[in-house]
Every structure is written in structure tokens, then in C-alpha cells.
Amino acid sequence: MKQLKATAKPAERGPPPDPARLLAWYDRHARRLPWRVGPKERRLGRRPVAYHVWLSEIMLQQTTVAAVKPFYDDFVRRWPHVADLAAAERDEVMSAWAGLGYYARARRMKACAEIVAGELGGRFPTTAAELEKLPGIGAYTAAAIAAIVNDQPIAVVDGNVERVVARLYAIDTPLPRAKPVIRQRQAALTPPVRAGDYAQAVMDLGATICTPIRPACSRCPWSGACRAYAAGTVEAYPVRAPKPKRPTRFGVAFVATRAGGSILLRRRADAGLLGGMTEVPGTAWHSQSRPATPADRPLQAHWVRVRPDVIHVFTHFRLELAVWHGRVSGRPAAPDGHWWASADGLADEALPSVMKKVLETALPGSTKKRRAV
């Protein structure tokens, strides 16, 4: 397929985007976020806290601001400083993370906190190059922390920034191939001063004005410089390559309960999808559906198939799980590598969303927090 060049028609050309104009807009309209030090506070001398910015950036990977806020507040309340997070039990951290998804982030975040607290005296590195050496900090996250915390003039490019820049310059090369030219454009726009505010301003512009659908171009401080706006083709950008069809995998989940209502659980291996998280016993996930066999079941019980099947969509595949509920006679010991969790404490287990769906299917209300009496 011939690659389109990132060019604009003569009628689309206008004045270049002015970072100062965007910063003036940001000074008036910056979002209030729990981890952010806004422009007014910065002018009063308050500086961003590296731990807060790092924590928020790790949580925001592949997740929305609205979803992250309650998790961020909970983490900062439990572990106010990086040393507190480093000293926490990993299972407690994984439990607090449950529901955010992409669980490898939580494991790497814990490892990063241990290095910063134990080897770096509790201080995060100041440069993107040094930050990127830490677990779980990639190029984007390192650039974001370095810019926001230390005002380093470095290109910060997330999904919002990609959309803004692709529209500004009518970049018609499909993503992800367009990423290098978008990064180059963003680097050229990044000012030598207030680089952190600029990075956050572009992200805010994409989140609140230059939205994927029905952008509010009339309120955009850069509309006069936007080639896509001039051409009336804003929603055509960014161009994306067609996504491959998401395959479906199949498996079986076994929800075993014994006298007293406790539920049989186990921990997934650290490597791989949902690594280190808690789950009910089950089969491997295969590309073709197959019935459960007695050998699959974790112990003897009166097993009953529960409907409907659980459907959960991951980034790269769709999962269908057949759910079986087994009532166990008496109070047998848990098989090796498993444990019995009390019904009252189930909500505190490190259960990923798919396992909460399984448990809710077999035992409605089981994963809800119990009210104190």
C-alpha cells in the first residue's frame, strides 16, 4: 500500500501553531486533577511532586482520567510516599490495583518504588534517560515525568497529543506509522520554558476540545493554525490503519464453595496476562471451545453449569468462559497452591475484572464490599 505524504493543500496553510497562545488558554482552562499542580499554583512557587506524577502516569496508561481518579486517591491515602509503597505487601498493592487492568503495570510499579526508595534515596531521577531505566517507565512516561516535574523541553506524546498534532498538520499517514512525524512536530512546538505546562496543555486540549468526535473547534486556541479545520476534515484525523479482527478464546472457570460460604481461589503466575492476580481455578484458554472434564475440576463437589457464560474483552482477544459452581461437602483443605477465602473478605482479594464477572455469575453480590455493622 502506497504511503500517503503528510502534506497540506495550499488553501489549508495558515500561521503556525503558537505555543504561547495555547499556554494562555491553559492558564484559564487547565483541568483540576488530584495529581496536578496547576498554572496558578506554579506561579505561587508550588512544584509538582514526582511521586504523584509518576503514580498518575502509570495508572493512566490505557485508562481514562475518570477511571483513574478513585484509584489514585486510594493509593495516595494508603501510601503517601514512595517509601510507603515500596514497603507495602505486594498482594495488598495488587488488590488495590484490581479493576484498573493491565496488571503488569502494578507489578512493575511496585518494583520501581522499591528501587527509588531503596537505591535512589527516595528521589526519582530528573532526566527522561535516567527515568526510562526504571521498571515500568517507557519513553512516553519518562518524557511526561521529566517535562511535568522538571520542565525539561522534551516531546510528550500520548493519544490526545497524537490527535491534536495529526489534525494541526493534516498528517494523513496512518497510525502507528505516523508516530515519528507526530513526535517530530510536537518536539518542534515544545517551548524551552514552561515545557511541563505546555505538555499538559496539549493533553488537556485533546481531552476537552479536540475530542475524537464532534470537537469544539470554535473554542480551540489553535483553530486558526489547524490545517484539518481549514479543510473541514477534522474528524478524518488521525488516520488509523485497519485493526485486525480480534480472535476469541474459550475456557472454563470453577467456583467452588464449602460450608460457611468460603470460596476456593488461587494466584496466577507472575508471567503473562493478569500475572500475580487472584482467580478461581479453571482451564487454560484455548482457541476452540471444549467441554470440561472431571480431570479439570479442582476437587470433588456437586458441580452445576451456571448461565450465562462470561464474556470479557481484552486488548488482543475476546474471552468466553463457561462457569461451573460446585458445592463442597464439609470443610476440606484447599488443594496445593489454592486457599479458601471468606465470603466477607472476597472484595479485598486481588481479583481482576474478568474474575469478578465469574464470581458474580455464580454468586451474585459476592464481590461487593460488605457494609460495616
Side-chain angles (χ1 to χ4, degrees):
M1 179 179 175
K2 185 177 179 181
Q3 181 170 325
L4 299 172
K5 293 182 179 179
T7 57
K9 298 175 183 178
E12 295 173 341
R13 293 196 176 99
D18 183 0
R21 187 176 180 86
L22 179 66
L23 283 167
W25 171 86
Y26 178 72
D27 287 343
R28 297 190 302 272
H29 302 290
R31 289 180 293 174
R32 295 182 65 85
L33 301 174
W35 49 83
R36 174 179 286 178
V37 175
K40 292 180 181 178
E41 296 166 301
R42 280 192 182 240
R43 286 196 293 270
L44 294 174
R46 186 178 165 200
R47 303 298 301 170
V49 177
Y51 173 60
H52 294 168
V53 175
W54 164 76
L55 188 61
S56 69
E57 288 296 338
I58 298 298
M59 288 184 169
L60 284 166
Q61 294 169 14
Q62 307 292 329
T63 316
T64 65
V65 166
V68 162
K69 282 182 178 179
F71 287 90
Y72 172 86
D73 290 340
D74 183 52
F75 265 70
V76 173
R77 177 183 58 80
R78 293 190 188 198
W79 305 294
H81 306 285
V82 67
D84 301 318
L85 183 58
E89 293 292 334
R90 196 183 78 159
D91 285 353
E92 188 180 0
V93 174
M94 297 301 286
S95 177
W97 188 273
L100 266 178
Y102 300 91
Y103 296 96
R105 291 181 296 164
R107 298 196 306 276
R108 296 181 188 127
M109 180 184 68
K110 180 71 165 65
C112 180
E114 291 170 355
I115 292 173
V116 171
E119 300 178 18
L120 303 180
R123 295 179 179 274
F124 284 85
T126 58
T127 67
E130 290 300 314
L131 283 162
E132 206 169 338
K133 295 177 182 179
L134 295 171
I137 298 183
Y140 161 75
T141 304
I145 297 170
I148 294 170
V149 177
N150 301 302
D151 269 331
Q152 286 197 3
I154 185 170
V156 179
V157 182
D158 69 350
N160 284 316
V161 176
E162 285 180 345
R163 184 168 59 256
V164 170
V165 174
R167 289 171 173 175
L168 276 174
Y169 297 99
I171 297 171
D172 47 22
T173 301
L175 286 169
R177 294 204 312 273
K179 286 179 179 289
V181 68
I182 289 174
R183 182 172 296 280
Q184 290 168 8
R185 294 287 196 176
Q186 173 70 336
L189 286 171
T190 301
V193 295
R194 296 192 68 187
D197 282 347
Y198 170 79
Q200 293 174 102
V202 184
M203 289 189 270
D204 278 14
L205 188 70
T208 63
I209 300 292
C210 195
T211 51
I213 301 173
R214 294 188 294 276
C217 297
S218 63
R219 294 170 23 221
C220 177
W222 272 350
S223 60
C226 180
R227 296 178 183 177
Y229 178 62
T233 56
V234 173
E235 290 192 24
Y237 300 95
V239 179
R240 298 186 184 276
K243 289 185 178 181
K245 184 178 179 180
R246 185 183 279 120
T248 298
R249 296 182 188 173
F250 304 88
V252 181
F254 297 101
V255 179
T257 55
R258 68 176 186 180
S262 54
I263 300 156
L264 189 66
L265 299 176
R266 69 183 182 186
R267 183 172 290 105
R268 292 178 66 87
D270 280 349
L273 186 67
L274 306 180
M277 300 300 289
T278 301
E279 67 174 1
V280 300
T283 66
W285 301 340
H286 300 282
S287 59
Q288 295 184 347
S289 180
R290 64 178 181 82
T293 68
D296 293 326
R297 297 164 188 173
L299 39 68
Q300 291 295 318
H302 176 61
W303 293 100
V304 177
R305 177 79 178 268
V306 182
R307 300 287 187 175
D309 291 351
V310 166
I311 297 175
H312 190 79
V313 179
F314 293 98
T315 304
H316 300 298
F317 67 95
R318 177 179 180 272
L319 177 65
E320 291 187 15
L321 287 177
V323 181
W324 289 74
H325 180 205
R327 298 184 185 278
V328 181
S329 299
R331 297 177 63 85
D336 288 346
H338 298 65
W339 70 90
W340 291 103
S342 70
D344 288 342
L346 196 62
D348 295 321
E349 295 284 351
L351 293 162
S353 297
V354 62
M355 287 299 133
K356 290 181 179 179
K357 289 182 182 179
V358 167
L359 286 161
E360 285 295 320
T361 298
L363 306 168
S366 59
T367 63
K368 307 300 183 187
K369 286 276 189 183
R370 300 295 197 271
R371 294 182 63 184
V373 294

